[in-house]
Amino acid sequence: IDPSPLDIEIEDIALGLARNTRWNGQTKGAHAWSVAQHSDLVVDIVRRLKPRATARLLMAAKLHDASEYVTHDLITPLKAVVGDVFKEVENRLTRAIFLRFGLPAVLATPDKALIKRADLIAAATEAVQLAGFSEKECRSVLNFKEKPLKHVKLTPLSVAEAEREFLAGFQQLEKALKLEQR
């Protein structure tokens, strides 16, 4: 309820997100599409949308769903029903996670909006490639305004592979963030 940044370890986040599935686990392939892979995809999309993105912005994109290592990825309709208490717990966790890894507790509005846009592009891409939705259904059923990426092929990984890739990407961003903060 009141998390401390001192209690947060990236290894716990990586393992939790690698084991946590997007789309309630209802995706194509031998493995589920994990929140860890989703986070990596969001970083890639932020890089595409803003080629000169700072390490700070990319780290915030990487950790945008990190609270889900505790709360798990509730599907949007369920999140809406659970309501404000759930959002408050997520927000507290996110603030603690961001502080733990050298980010501001609350992102600037433009940064938050860019990450949200990348998150929605990722969701649309996942919906079409992995969850069985058409592009039209993304708009009409899921109410996504963003279009899915066509030039990216999503491949769900095993938990161990997703965890390893998440950590490797985190370590690269952590080094870049330290250089940027000098």
Side-chain angles (χ1 to χ4, degrees):
I1 303 292
D2 192 21
S4 167
L6 300 174
D7 295 332
I8 297 166
E9 300 297 332
I10 195 59
E11 294 80 9
D12 295 335
I13 292 170
L15 179 60
L17 297 185
R19 288 184 173 167
N20 195 351
T21 61
R22 296 269 298 161
W23 301 95
N24 214 29
Q26 305 299 310
T27 55
K28 299 173 188 172
H31 302 286
W33 182 253
S34 70
V35 176
Q37 286 188 269
H38 166 78
S39 297
D40 290 339
L41 178 59
V42 170
V43 171
D44 181 52
I45 294 169
V46 168
R47 280 188 173 117
R48 292 167 192 265
L49 295 173
K50 189 171 183 175
R52 295 191 188 275
T54 63
R56 184 187 59 76
L57 177 60
L58 295 172
M59 182 65 87
K62 179 84 163 175
L63 298 174
H64 82 281
D65 279 339
S67 65
E68 293 177 6
Y69 92 102
V70 173
T71 64
H72 293 277
D73 183 35
L74 292 184
I75 58 174
T76 302
L78 183 55
K79 230 181 234 190
V81 171
V82 174
D84 292 340
V85 172
F86 185 81
K87 287 178 187 173
E88 179 58 29
V89 171
E90 272 190 327
N91 288 337
R92 287 178 185 196
L93 279 164
T94 297
R95 286 191 296 269
I97 291 164
F98 279 11
L99 289 173
R100 168 66 176 89
F101 298 111
L103 301 172
V106 178
L107 296 179
T109 301
D111 290 347
K112 191 172 183 174
L114 180 64
I115 292 168
K116 186 61 180 174
R117 181 173 177 220
D119 186 41
L120 292 171
I121 293 168
T125 306
E126 295 163 3
V128 170
Q129 289 191 31
L130 302 170
F133 290 89
S134 69
E135 279 192 52
K136 184 178 179 184
E137 290 170 324
C138 281
R139 289 185 303 278
S140 64
V141 176
L142 301 174
N143 296 317
F144 291 164
K145 291 174 180 35
E146 299 294 341
K147 293 182 181 181
L149 299 174
K150 296 192 187 285
H151 56 279
V152 172
K153 171 88 170 94
L154 304 182
T155 304
L157 301 174
S158 70
V159 169
E161 290 171 301
E163 177 185 17
R164 201 168 27 255
E165 284 196 13
F166 182 90
L167 280 172
F170 174 85
Q171 290 162 352
Q172 287 176 342
L173 288 173
E174 187 175 47
K175 286 178 188 171
L177 186 60
K178 286 178 183 175
L179 288 173
E180 191 175 271
Q181 291 174 338
R182 285 184 185 177

